[in-house]
Amino acid sequence: MSQWKQIQQLEIKYLEQVDYLYDDNFPMDIRQVLSNWIESQDWDTAANHESMATVLLNNLLSQLDRQCSQEQNFLQRHNLKIINQQLQLKYKASPLLMASVISTCLREERRIISTASIQEQGPLEKSLQN
Amino acid sequence: MSQWKQIQQLEIKYLEQVDYLYDDNFPMDIRQVLSNWIESQDWDTAANHESMATVLLNNLLSQLDRQCSQEQNFLQRHNLKIINQQLQLKYKASPLLMASVISTCLREERRIISTASIQEQGPLEKSLQN
């Protein structure tokens, strides 16, 4: 199951933690629309290699363009168009920053999923692990 | 038919004009989620009366809160929460500005609908009108 699908199955108290990860720096709409592609890229490495970060940013923008042109829903299309413009303004001159933001979000998501799965275990399972 | 429904039935060239009306000052998500309520308020008067503008802003924020708590979709709920925070930051000290922004958007929508309906008429209907 993709990381993003696991996130969406969390209890509300964990979802509220996920809420804090997403804002204009990395809008949740992108995380959802391009979830599989995002999870299959190496953002940790890109956060330290400008040429790789630039390629990933350009790929992300062209995928957003494609999604936008295929989207039938007016509101969704409008939002994707605005996000595309905002990301270009924000990251065209600093693609490393975008890679670093996405890398941090994905790592924090994994931390939240892991915390949730530990808390879900009963006392017996926890003691068997220790 | 509500004004917002009429907007969504326009051809793509008119929808692109509508796109320009909506940004962070008045996110399209609100226009859609609260469309009936928005169309039934007198924003033109509120844009010149601070106490009325304040009441409308508070009503809008509590309705957004309610929508947010009822929304089942995680992404939608997240977006409404962010919009609520942004509107509070932007307009709590200047509710007249919010009323003026919404009043302008609604007026521009009517202008676009009217232009579209004139363009759709054939030459005979146009000459009969003149």
Side-chain angles (χ1 to χ4, degrees):
Chain A
M1 193 195 303
S2 77
Q3 187 170 312
W4 188 238
K5 283 229 172 89
Q6 288 180 64
I7 284 288
Q8 288 175 81
Q9 293 180 358
L10 294 176
E11 285 176 42
I12 192 86
K13 63 178 174 178
Y14 299 111
L15 288 177
E16 282 170 358
Q17 295 176 31
V18 178
D19 260 338
Y20 286 108
L21 304 178
Y22 291 92
D23 56 18
D24 284 353
N25 292 316
F26 185 27
M28 198 185 275
D29 299 77
I30 306 183
R31 180 67 180 97
Q32 172 133 326
V33 166
L34 302 179
S35 62
N36 292 333
W37 180 79
I38 285 171
E39 289 178 28
S40 61
Q41 310 308 311
D42 182 357
W43 299 100
D44 299 343
T45 305
N48 295 301
H49 293 85
E50 186 144 20
S51 59
M52 186 176 169
T54 306
V55 170
L56 287 185
L57 171 60
N58 290 337
N59 279 354
L60 188 145
L61 292 173
S62 23
Q63 291 198 58
L64 265 188
D65 256 345
R66 200 176 322 136
Q67 287 282 346
C68 204
S69 62
Q70 291 167 350
E71 180 60 60
Q72 295 297 309
N73 180 284
F74 174 48
L75 174 62
Q76 265 299 98
R77 191 166 64 237
H78 168 85
N79 284 344
L80 291 179
K81 213 183 282 184
I82 287 191
I83 287 171
N84 196 326
Q85 290 161 355
Q86 285 174 338
L87 290 185
Q88 290 198 42
L89 270 177
K90 204 182 277 276
Y91 295 125
K92 268 286 180 184
S94 51
L96 283 171
L97 179 61
M98 184 201 69
S100 164
V101 166
I102 299 183
S103 154
T104 305
C105 280
L106 294 179
R107 191 167 50 247
E108 283 300 301
E109 283 182 5
R110 288 192 292 274
R111 190 190 55 74
I112 294 168
I113 291 170
S114 155
T115 308
S117 89
I118 290 169
Q119 304 254 331
E120 270 173 22
Q121 293 174 352
L124 176 62
E125 288 143 311
K126 273 186 202 163
S127 69
L128 284 174
Q129 275 188 339
N130 295 328
Chain B
M1 192 194 304
S2 77
Q3 187 170 312
W4 188 238
K5 283 233 173 86
Q6 289 180 65
I7 285 287
Q8 288 174 81
Q9 292 179 357
L10 294 176
E11 286 174 44
I12 192 85
K13 64 179 174 179
Y14 300 111
L15 288 177
E16 281 171 357
Q17 294 177 33
V18 177
D19 260 338
Y20 287 107
L21 304 178
Y22 292 92
D23 55 19
D24 284 354
N25 292 316
F26 185 27
M28 197 185 273
D29 300 76
I30 306 183
R31 179 67 180 96
Q32 173 133 325
V33 165
L34 302 179
S35 62
N36 292 334
W37 180 80
I38 284 170
E39 289 178 28
S40 61
Q41 310 308 310
D42 182 357
W43 299 100
D44 299 343
T45 305
N48 294 302
H49 293 84
E50 186 144 19
S51 59
M52 184 175 169
T54 306
V55 170
L56 287 185
L57 172 61
N58 290 336
N59 279 353
L60 188 143
L61 292 174
S62 25
Q63 292 200 55
L64 264 188
D65 256 345
R66 199 176 322 134
Q67 287 283 348
C68 205
S69 62
Q70 290 168 352
E71 180 60 59
Q72 295 298 308
N73 179 285
F74 174 46
L75 173 62
Q76 265 300 99
R77 191 166 67 238
H78 168 85
N79 284 344
L80 291 178
K81 211 182 283 184
I82 287 190
I83 287 171
N84 197 326
Q85 291 162 354
Q86 285 174 339
L87 289 185
Q88 289 198 42
L89 270 178
K90 206 182 277 277
Y91 294 125
K92 269 286 180 185
S94 50
L96 282 172
L97 179 60
M98 185 202 67
S100 164
V101 167
I102 299 183
S103 153
T104 304
C105 280
L106 294 179
R107 190 167 53 247
E108 284 299 303
E109 282 181 6
R110 288 192 291 275
R111 190 190 55 74
I112 294 168
I113 291 170
S114 154
T115 308
S117 92
I118 290 170
Q119 304 253 333
E120 271 172 23
Q121 293 174 355
L124 175 65
E125 287 144 309
K126 274 185 201 165
S127 69
L128 285 173
Q129 275 188 340
N130 296 329

